[in-house]
Structure formats: structure tokens, C-alpha cells
Amino acid sequence: MNVLVINCGSSSLKYQLISSETEKVLAKGLCERIGIDGSAITHQPEGGEKVTTQVPMPDHTAAVKYVIEKLTDPEVGVVKSLDEIDAVGHRIVHGGEKFNTSVVINDEVIKAIEECNDLAPLHNPANLIGINACKKLMPNVPMVAVFDTAFHQTMPKKAFLYGLPYEYYEKYKVRRYGFHGTSHDFVSARAAEILGKKREDLKIIVCHLGNGASVTAVDHGRSIDTSMGLTPLEGLIMGTRSGDIDPAIISFIADKENISADDMINICNKKSGVLGLSGGISSDFRDLASAAESNDQKAIDALDTYAYRVAKYIGSYAMAMKGVDVIAFTAGIGENNCQMRAAICDYVTWLGTSIDPEKNAIRGEEVILSKPDDKVAIMVVPTNEELAIARETVRLVK
Ligand code: ADP
């Protein structure tokens, strides 16, 4: 089967066409500036060059039309016609409490996703636009929704409730949902596989450290706690997001700076994290590493603060699961940033485990960093959310 995986944002659309038999990416690409002047599609067939073409894309339907055009193009295409696209898998950010697994999309599902818009006003409406655009252009192709929140629906109440008046949970469903679920599921499953063990027998902490970042406690195969909350703002310090702060800071600074609470949340989302902490140097850890090498104190502090927060979450999840067998690093920073992995693992040595510096110098590959008889296995497991979505799509469509 060929599965088209779609990740639709408000003005962008990322796609991959994956063959389920070989699990290879046949082609991938990105539509940018949808609905804005200067829109363009960047397409790359397997083993071929990346080519960007400026095309008018007034809406997402136009974008999906260009995606199909590229995929079936005689030169840069990888299939002869639309008939060779067997299913579409959509990444959906928020499934609320309605979805604890992926589902085949029908009108009822679309309605239920719409009902979660409130919880992810920037993401879910865009995801739905992607679904509707595909429905229009490929009415007979089955589609599946894969939710970022679904894997975390196994969290117990004590992990998902906030210490707020209970009526807010009842009235507005204010609770911890967690995100990056597809990645935490994929990485924890793969980590067990690499170790030759069953995930159901392990206590795994997955650190997904990308621009957005979260840590999850996967206890015997089930997510029992995760660092992101009602929204992806909670938890770790991220590229531009603050992660955990004292909620009173919002009104305190809003008053001082004469801005609204919404402005302040926007600052917490877009101008905080290591970008804010470093005094605006960058949200990218490569830039921060160079600045730290030149002894920029703010960059050094930003990286220290980041590592400390990740270590604190690892510690609290080891307690939540009453133990830990595996710590797995993934995503851009987790897979590639050896210094950050070393800084975080320095806090973990008391658990009776340490990493081999030579193995830790490897980037972007599956590798076990700890020694074979260490109490806790520390490893790098590259994530692949698109492949996970394609697998889910095949599982449901077959
Ligand atoms: P996103 O959440 O947007 O998918 P990524 O998972 O790509 O983000 O993570 C982005 C972060 O990963 C950046 O801070 C970047 O510095 C880091 N990163 C990505 N690739 C590398 C690399 N080869 N070496 C070091 N750091 C990297």
C-alpha cells in the first residue's frame, strides 16, 4: 500500500508518500505560505533533488492539488496516477478525551475533531482543513486520523488532574492531555525491540527533545505521565516556549509591561525558552553551543537550565513508576546533541548508570549509550512520526 501522510498547519502542509511494504519514503515535501503571497511547494522524490516551485496556493485544497500533481508528475512523480495512493493518514494534534487511538475518518469523526478545536485553536482547525481538502480531491481514498494526544489517554486521574477547582475539569475539560504521543509510542516500542525485550515488561522514560520537547513515563507500555499539559506550553524549557512557570508570573509581568494576559502567553510560547533565556541569541541549540563555546554566559545558563529541567522530569518519572529500566533520547536535540545528552546524563549517574563518551559522540542513530550491565539502559532512538502514522493508517484501513 502507498500511504500519503499529511501534517497540515495553518499556512503549511508537510507530506510524505510511504510504501507500507518497504516502509520507504517514496517522496516528501512541503507547501508553504498557503493563503499568503509567495506560496511555494518543495518536492523531493526518493533519491532525487529537492525542487521548490512558486505556485499560487490560495487555500489548502489548492495545496493538496499541487501535492497530487507532483506525486503523479511524469518527471518528478513517483506514482502514475491517484489510483496508486491507497490511503491518507492525517496527523491531528488534539483528540481531547474522545480519542484514545487512531480512527478511520468519517463525518462523525470530523465532527468530534471539530469539538476539540477549543483545546487546540491553532492546530485542530488547520488539521481539519487538510482533511476536507483531501476529501474533496480524493473522495474514494480512505483516511485515518492519528492523534498526538491519543497515546497519553492511559494516564491515571492523579497524573492528568490539575490542582484547580474540579468544576473546570467538568465544565471545560481542563486537564493534562500531553502531546508528541505518536513519537513517545514509537520510540518506547522501538527501544524495547532494540533491547530484545517486551515493552510490557519495562519502565521507560522517553525524552523527545526537539523544538517542542516533552518527557513521558511509559510504564509497561502505557503512558502514565507526560510533561506537556492542556497545551504544548507546559513542561520542559523548549526552543521558544517557557515550559513550567509560576502561573502568577503571567499577570505580574502583564501588569508591569502594560500588556494583556494573551500577549504574555504569546511571549511564553514564542519568545521564551532557550531563545529568551539566551537574551535572544537563538532557539537553535547549534547556535547556542557556539555561543557557549565563546563563553557567552547567557547561552551557558540557557543550556544549563535546559538540561536541569529535563533531569528533574526524569527523576520525577522514575519515582512515578517506582523505578526506571530505560531512558531513551529522541528528536533533533535528543538524537544529535551529544553535549546536551552528556549534561542530562550527568544527573543520572546516581541511578547506577553512565554513558560511554565514544558512543555518545554518535549522532542520529540507534545506539545504546550505557554499559551492558548498568542498572538503567540509556539509549538514542531516532523518532519517525510519519512512519508511525503510515503504520497506523495501514492497520486501520486493512
Ligand atoms: P521540531 O520539533 O521542529 O521537529 P527538531 O526535532 O528538528 O524540531 O529539533 C530541532 C533542534 O534539534 C534544534 O535546536 C537543532 O539545533 C537540533 N538539531 C537538529 N539537527 C541537529 C544536528 N545535526 N546537530 C545538532 N543539533 C541538531
Side-chain angles (χ1 to χ4, degrees):
M1 267 175 84
N2 292 330
V3 181
L4 179 61
V5 176
I6 300 268
N7 183 353
C8 205
S10 55
S11 67
S12 71
L13 185 156
K14 287 188 215 151
Y15 64 93
Q16 286 195 3
L17 187 68
I18 297 177
S19 154
S20 70
E21 285 80 19
T22 59
E23 297 206 324
K24 271 201 176 153
V25 178
L26 304 176
K28 62 181 174 183
L30 165 69
C31 301
E32 282 172 295
R33 300 181 66 84
I34 301 168
I36 311 172
D37 277 352
S39 51
I41 178 166
T42 302
H43 176 81
Q44 184 177 25
E46 186 195 0
E49 292 283 310
K50 219 185 231 181
V51 178
T52 302
T53 325
Q54 305 279 338
V55 281
M57 287 188 263
D59 55 29
H60 287 75
T61 309
V64 174
K65 206 173 105 237
Y66 282 113
V67 170
I68 296 172
E69 225 167 73
K70 288 286 175 196
L71 290 172
T72 54
D73 184 89
E75 266 176 48
V76 297
V78 289
V79 290
K80 286 199 196 74
S81 75
L82 203 54
D83 295 344
E84 289 177 49
I85 299 174
D86 302 296
V88 182
H90 289 271
R91 177 196 178 198
I92 310 295
V93 168
H94 221 305
E97 287 186 327
K98 289 178 204 293
F99 298 102
N100 60 9
T101 183
S102 314
V103 285
V104 175
I105 297 173
N106 56 29
D107 289 343
E108 210 177 301
V109 167
I110 291 177
K111 203 161 151 269
I113 297 173
E114 258 164 22
E115 284 164 14
C116 302
N117 280 0
D118 219 17
L119 294 167
L122 297 179
H123 295 102
N124 269 34
N127 300 157
L128 281 163
I129 290 172
I131 291 179
N132 287 322
C134 290
K135 208 173 129 190
K136 213 163 162 185
L137 296 168
M138 303 181 255
N140 300 320
V141 180
M143 300 200 285
V144 168
V146 181
F147 300 90
D148 265 30
T149 49
F151 183 60
H152 301 300
Q153 277 298 302
T154 46
M155 278 188 290
K157 236 178 181 177
K158 65 183 174 189
F160 74 64
L161 285 179
Y162 289 116
L164 290 168
Y166 196 79
E167 63 183 282
Y168 298 143
Y169 169 55
E170 290 177 311
K171 280 203 281 193
Y172 311 121
K173 294 283 171 227
V174 170
R175 50 158 284 179
R176 174 182 312 287
Y177 290 96
F179 299 86
H180 293 140
T182 312
S183 177
H184 288 293
D185 185 13
F186 179 91
V187 169
S188 56
R190 183 70 195 133
E193 220 170 74
I194 294 168
L195 294 169
K197 294 187 176 159
K198 283 203 192 126
R199 183 167 72 164
E200 290 67 34
D201 295 333
L202 294 170
K203 298 172 180 182
I204 306 175
I205 297 176
V206 179
C207 305
H208 177 110
L209 311 178
N211 275 321
S214 63
V215 184
T216 295
V218 184
D219 193 0
H220 296 84
R222 293 155 68 87
S223 166
I224 60 121
D225 206 348
T226 190
S227 59
M228 282 178 168
L230 173 74
T231 75
L233 182 54
E234 196 183 346
L236 300 179
I237 291 169
M238 307 179 214
T240 64
R241 287 175 235 166
S242 63
D244 301 335
I245 59 168
D246 178 344
I249 294 171
I250 302 286
S251 62
F252 183 86
I253 296 184
D255 274 356
K256 298 269 180 215
E257 298 268 314
N258 202 16
I259 55 178
S260 69
D262 274 355
D263 292 337
M264 202 39 218
I265 292 290
N266 199 34
I267 290 170
C268 289
N269 267 308
K270 300 200 174 133
K271 296 191 175 163
S272 301
V274 289
L275 171 70
L277 270 173
S278 66
I281 292 175
S282 178
S283 62
D284 192 299
F285 278 65
R286 286 167 283 201
D287 302 333
L288 292 169
S290 339
E293 270 169 36
S294 316
N295 286 321
D296 184 291
Q297 193 56 46
K298 286 198 183 108
I300 294 169
D301 290 344
L303 295 170
D304 278 354
T305 315
Y306 182 93
Y308 180 67
R309 178 76 57 91
V310 177
K312 282 210 294 189
Y313 267 99
I314 292 173
S316 66
Y317 289 165
M319 193 66 114
M321 293 191 285
K322 300 178 184 165
V324 51
D325 302 307
V326 183
I327 298 170
F329 289 100
T330 196
I333 297 152
E335 291 167 28
N336 297 295
N337 192 323
C338 320
Q339 294 101 318
M340 184 48 70
R341 284 198 303 249
I344 295 165
C345 291
D346 189 47
Y347 288 97
V348 183
T349 46
W350 69 276
L351 279 173
T353 189
S354 60
I355 58 172
D356 176 335
E358 253 175 56
K359 288 192 181 142
N360 190 41
I362 299 170
R363 290 167 190 269
E365 282 176 35
E366 288 180 349
V367 52
I368 301 172
L369 307 175
S370 49
K371 287 174 222 68
D373 45 3
D374 278 350
K375 280 201 187 123
V376 182
I378 302 182
M379 53 205 296
V380 175
V381 181
T383 192
N384 191 339
E385 286 162 289
E386 290 78 16
L387 176 59
I389 293 172
R391 283 181 184 166
E392 277 293 89
T393 305
V394 172
R395 178 175 74 82
L396 285 162
V397 166
K398 271 193 169 165

